[in-house]
Amino acid sequence: GTWHRASAGVPESFASRVRERLKARVPLFAAMVAYDRPLGLPFDAASFGGRRRKNKGRGGGRLWFAARTNSKPGGDGKVHDGDENDDDGVECWTLVSTPEYALEKIEETPMQDPKTGEFIPQSPEYLTAVPGPDLESAFREALTSPDGILGKEGTLDPGTFPDLVHLDAQRWGSAMPCHRNSDGRSETRRTICGVPYDIGRGALAPTRLERSDGNGNDDNGGTGPDDHRCFVADEGIMLFQAGDMMSRYTPGFEGAALSGMDAAERILKKYLERQ
């Protein structure tokens, strides 16, 4: 069928409150790449600050973050095939795009039908032909360029760079909420097919309250029913939405966790009231 979680039906009265809380979303693309042998890098993760395409050594405006998948906590740093005792030497990396690159690609290939507004999933063929190769090449350039993240002395030799043996990619049209202090007048705000995106960047740590003063008043002077909560709810039908998109805190994992705990506490209270 054509159903997708992004277009799941909810009452419009509830959906409008969710949109009002969200304001705009930050889009990203991610890619999973695997090389036939370790790259031998002196780090497990790195950020790439370059927003300009001409700055190839710093991500070329495409790459924002890279992490060595083999280094996840709890693992042994190795990738195994069918035999858990046999290390096949493959090294995997997760690559995350810049918001600027993601917005550019969504403008080229929208997420919604411009006439009907229906959500359009992106095909594996597109993901592995456009954003996947773009992110992998940006990563490779950042490691082999003299002005790249490794510096002139540590640059990897393009001629002996490990072979790419796997590539996959994913589009995150709503990867994160924009910062709560961003509004419709933001220079980084763009609306595509009726969906507002915002690629403005801000500090993601430490986690802090961005929206409310704790008395139901948000930083824009609002006093709506949801302004003092980290979630949106219609308690008449017991419909709740929580997560970093609804949180009043800095976008990220901690903000999402605080939102979930706030919603859970409220649900428990309502349940106990009915006993």
Side-chain angles (χ1 to χ4, degrees), residues 14-267:
F14 185 85
S16 64
R17 289 164 58 197
V18 169
R19 289 193 295 269
E20 175 60 26
R21 169 63 67 88
L22 175 58
K23 304 296 185 186
R25 71 282 316 274
V26 178
L28 297 173
F29 279 89
M32 169 71 79
V33 298
Y35 299 100
D36 65 347
R37 63 184 188 278
L39 296 174
L41 300 180
F43 54 79
D44 295 313
S47 60
F48 304 79
R51 304 190 190 195
R52 299 180 180 179
R53 284 191 174 275
K54 65 180 182 180
N55 192 351
K56 294 184 178 181
R58 293 294 175 179
R62 292 165 286 168
L63 184 62
W64 193 11
F65 178 76
R68 195 170 77 109
T69 312
N70 311 55
S71 299
K72 285 184 177 180
D76 59 7
K78 300 178 180 179
V79 175
H80 301 284
D81 53 22
D83 183 351
E84 64 178 13
N85 297 312
D86 180 22
D87 176 19
D88 61 12
V90 173
E91 184 170 272
C92 300
W93 286 80
T94 299
L95 313 177
V96 180
S97 79
T98 62
E100 292 84 357
Y101 171 82
L103 185 64
E104 175 187 315
K105 293 303 158 188
I106 290 174
E107 284 184 310
E108 292 176 359
T109 308
M111 293 179 58
Q112 284 78 24
D113 185 295
K115 294 182 178 179
T116 66
E118 183 178 354
F119 178 79
I120 304 174
Q122 285 194 332
S123 67
E125 291 76 18
Y126 170 81
L127 293 170
T128 55
V130 181
D134 280 353
L135 292 178
E136 196 281 329
S137 64
F139 184 51
R140 185 181 296 253
E141 289 167 359
L143 300 178
T144 58
S145 172
D147 62 348
I149 193 170
L150 296 174
K152 187 174 182 179
E153 299 300 323
T155 298
L156 300 186
D157 182 355
T160 59
F161 200 90
D163 291 334
L164 181 69
V165 295
H166 175 79
L167 183 148
D168 201 357
Q170 177 183 356
R171 179 186 64 189
W172 289 344
S174 301
M176 300 187 297
C178 68
H179 284 274
R180 302 303 177 187
N181 52 12
S182 175
D183 59 31
R185 296 167 294 181
S186 169
E187 294 181 355
T188 54
R189 181 73 54 90
R190 196 87 53 83
T191 299
I192 303 173
C193 295
V195 178
Y197 299 92
D198 199 317
I199 57 175
R201 300 191 193 182
L204 297 177
T207 299
R208 62 184 180 85
L209 192 64
E210 287 193 333
R211 184 172 174 80
S212 172
D213 62 6
N215 297 312
N217 301 308
D218 67 15
D219 50 14
N220 294 316
T223 56
D226 298 316
D227 286 335
H228 66 292
R229 296 173 170 176
C230 273
F231 59 90
V232 172
D234 183 335
E235 295 183 354
I237 58 175
M238 289 301 287
L239 178 61
F240 290 73
Q241 183 157 333
D244 62 344
M245 295 290 180
M246 300 296 101
S247 177
R248 294 179 290 110
Y249 289 87
T250 306
F253 174 79
E254 290 181 344
L258 290 168
S259 174
M261 289 188 288
D262 196 14
E265 185 176 306
R266 182 62 182 174
I267 293 171

